[in-house]
Amino acid sequence: MITGDAAYIKKLNRGLILSKIIENDGISRADLSKITGLNKATISVQVADLLEEELLVEGQQEHKNLGRRPIILSLNRKAGYALGIDLDKGQVIFNLTDLLGYPVHTETVQLETTNYEEILDLLSTYIRDFKSRCQESAYGIIGVVVGVHGIVSSEEIIHFVPQLQWRNQNLKADLEKKIAVKVFVENNANLTAFAERVYKHNQSDHLLSITMQSGIGLGMMTNGNILKGFHGYAGEIGHMIVVPDGEPCPCGNQGCWERYAAESSFFRELAEKYGRHNADFHDIQAWLDAKDPVMHELIDCFIKYISIGLNNVINLYNPEVIVLNSELLRLYPDAVKKIKARLTSTISHYDELLVSDFGKQACVMGACVYGIKNFLEISDLNLQVTDEKLAAAGEYF
């Protein structure tokens, strides 16, 4: 049984009210009372506080009926901004969104170093710049969330990043010392799964998201929460061994899944077959369109190893939804069909398997909404960012 004092109950009610206002894209006080079950007096007091804090705005809804038009409460999306950062080997993606998760500015910076101090200085410089752009809003930057392609502990300490060879780095504390802003550090696969849950699969309580770029990571959403494990290290599924005594991996093992089913491994194989070390996704698309037999052989082998790992993942977690985050699979229309054809075990059960629409933006999108959820202190965040709403959002700066 959950108990708490008046302040705790007020905080829970506040979070419920905010989540329902966001979920309904604006709602009247009367309807808010109906769907939350809170009495009108509680709604009135909470809404008054939120209006004073500039987190809500009021507007009138157009309707054809006679009588007074209802006043609609909406989240003040420009009251503050979230900054998401995807820190990967070779590049950093920055994404700034408003409080409803609408992108305001995205920027990709190429990295020429893996040195921790140099990257720390680069991140600090860019965060300061974004902070200055948002200083006219009521809350400015409400949080910076950094997605790391490696193992992050429950205390947000970077335990190990194989691609950068970082060990035991406290990026959160180091950034907060340099810049007066709240910083969160999280595994990139967890943030990718969070983006899928918040933006696309609001009703899925058992969602798995598998990132497949420089390595393979698994983000798990259970009942709306990220499943992290005891120390925070859960989800390092890329280091599941699928080929005994196979290719050596930077983690120290041999035959890890990501050595065969990550996009980075595909590009290594592609370089050997074609003698092209600078090939990109446009080249792959051209080879696929031309029905190049070597390219189709590479894709089939890639799908084979994806399927081997997926079979293990499905048997471990019995997911409702599995989302594969891979630019390469998005180029190949038959990818999901061919993967499903290899998942033939009678004891493997899942409801839906698909390729993510978010691509490389998934991590920073998840980072931004993770920051928003923590700032608003709500238990469940459901957003719907459509092309029409994006077009109507307008310029911010």
Side-chain angles (χ1 to χ4, degrees):
M1 179 179 179
I2 298 176
T3 61
D5 58 18
Y8 176 71
I9 299 300
K10 184 177 180 180
K11 181 179 176 181
L12 288 180
N13 290 340
R14 173 192 171 98
L16 176 61
I17 288 168
L18 280 171
S19 66
K20 293 303 178 183
I21 289 172
I22 293 169
E23 184 179 327
N24 288 274
D25 196 20
I27 190 172
S28 69
R29 286 170 173 80
D31 287 341
L32 193 56
S33 178
K34 290 176 184 176
I35 65 172
T36 60
L38 299 174
N39 63 52
K40 292 182 180 179
T42 299
I43 295 291
S44 179
V45 170
Q46 289 273 8
V47 166
D49 289 344
L50 291 167
L51 286 168
E52 185 177 350
E53 294 168 26
E54 299 184 54
L55 285 175
L56 295 184
V57 291
E58 292 181 313
Q60 287 191 316
Q61 186 180 56
E62 292 186 8
H63 70 144
K64 297 179 181 179
N65 298 328
L66 296 175
R68 184 176 172 183
R69 290 184 295 174
I71 294 174
I72 300 300
L73 300 166
S74 300
L75 188 74
N76 181 6
R77 62 197 301 167
K78 298 184 183 181
Y81 300 89
L83 179 60
I85 300 174
D86 180 2
L87 173 59
D88 198 1
K89 181 183 180 183
Q91 71 173 20
V92 184
I93 303 175
F94 298 87
N95 188 44
L96 188 73
T97 71
D98 64 22
L99 292 185
L100 283 179
Y102 284 75
V104 175
H105 181 75
T106 301
E107 191 165 345
T108 300
V109 179
Q110 299 304 313
L111 284 178
E112 303 297 333
T113 180
T114 60
N115 180 269
Y116 177 78
E117 295 298 333
E118 291 178 15
I119 293 176
L120 175 64
D121 288 341
L122 182 146
L123 294 176
S124 302
T125 299
Y126 275 87
I127 293 170
R128 286 194 193 95
D129 179 58
F130 279 106
K131 188 178 178 183
S132 67
R133 298 188 198 192
C134 303
Q135 60 187 357
E136 298 301 321
S137 62
Y139 293 92
I141 295 286
I142 55 93
V144 175
V145 182
V146 184
V148 176
H149 294 240
I151 303 173
V152 180
S153 74
S154 300
E155 291 76 31
E156 299 179 69
I157 306 296
I158 297 174
H159 177 65
F160 181 47
V161 182
Q163 300 290 343
L164 300 175
Q165 287 298 298
W166 288 0
R167 296 179 186 273
N168 302 318
Q169 297 289 357
N170 194 341
L171 182 63
K172 173 186 172 72
D174 291 340
L175 284 174
E176 289 181 340
K177 285 178 187 176
K178 288 177 173 286
I179 308 162
V181 66
K182 181 68 176 175
V183 176
F184 301 89
V185 176
E186 184 54 87
N187 171 268
N188 73 298
N190 288 341
L191 295 175
T192 298
F194 196 68
E196 296 290 347
R197 175 60 162 75
V198 170
Y199 283 112
K200 289 281 188 180
H201 304 281
N202 304 148
Q203 306 307 314
S204 175
D205 285 332
H206 299 280
L207 179 146
L208 301 183
S209 174
I210 300 175
T211 57
M212 306 174 65
Q213 286 85 35
S214 56
I216 292 182
L218 173 66
M220 299 169 281
M221 297 295 300
T222 301
N223 298 322
N225 298 309
I226 298 172
L227 181 62
K228 297 184 179 183
F230 181 60
H231 294 105
Y233 300 161
E236 289 299 321
I237 204 73
H239 299 288
M240 166 181 62
I241 295 173
V242 296
V243 180
D245 302 318
E247 290 188 27
C249 178
C251 79
N253 281 330
Q254 291 178 265
C256 290
W257 191 25
E258 68 179 40
R259 300 302 291 175
Y260 299 87
E263 289 179 354
S264 56
S265 66
F266 182 88
F267 277 100
R268 285 195 303 271
E269 186 72 14
L270 186 150
E272 291 180 13
K273 295 287 186 180
Y274 288 89
R276 288 275 304 275
H277 294 275
N278 61 344
D280 57 21
F281 290 113
H282 295 291
D283 296 315
I284 292 171
Q285 185 68 73
W287 280 316
L288 286 172
D289 292 343
K291 302 189 185 305
D292 183 273
V294 175
M295 177 52 62
H296 281 270
E297 180 184 335
L298 287 175
I299 289 281
D300 285 342
C301 185
F302 185 62
I303 284 174
K304 179 184 78 171
Y305 283 114
I306 290 173
S307 305
I308 290 171
L310 270 183
N311 183 74
N312 296 335
V313 171
I314 291 167
N315 285 333
L316 278 171
Y317 297 107
N318 181 215
E320 178 185 358
V321 177
I322 308 166
V323 185
L324 305 177
N325 188 275
S326 167
E327 291 286 324
L328 181 56
L329 293 181
R330 290 174 72 188
L331 299 179
Y332 193 58
D334 291 334
V336 169
K337 180 181 177 182
K338 288 199 170 189
I339 292 170
K340 286 181 176 180
R342 288 181 172 273
L343 302 176
T344 56
S345 171
T346 56
I347 61 170
S348 296
H349 296 285
Y350 64 94
D351 275 2
E352 188 176 6
L353 173 66
L354 65 153
V355 177
S356 174
D357 293 329
F358 296 146
K360 291 185 177 180
Q361 295 298 312
C363 176
V364 285
M365 291 174 69
C368 288
V369 292
Y370 187 85
I372 292 167
K373 181 177 183 289
N374 279 280
F375 171 68
L376 296 178
E377 297 182 301
I378 58 180
S379 60
D380 198 22
L381 181 62
N382 296 323
L383 299 175
Q384 296 85 33
V385 176
T386 64
D387 291 339
E388 291 78 13
K389 289 181 180 179
L390 280 173
E395 295 296 327
Y396 284 72
F397 302 115

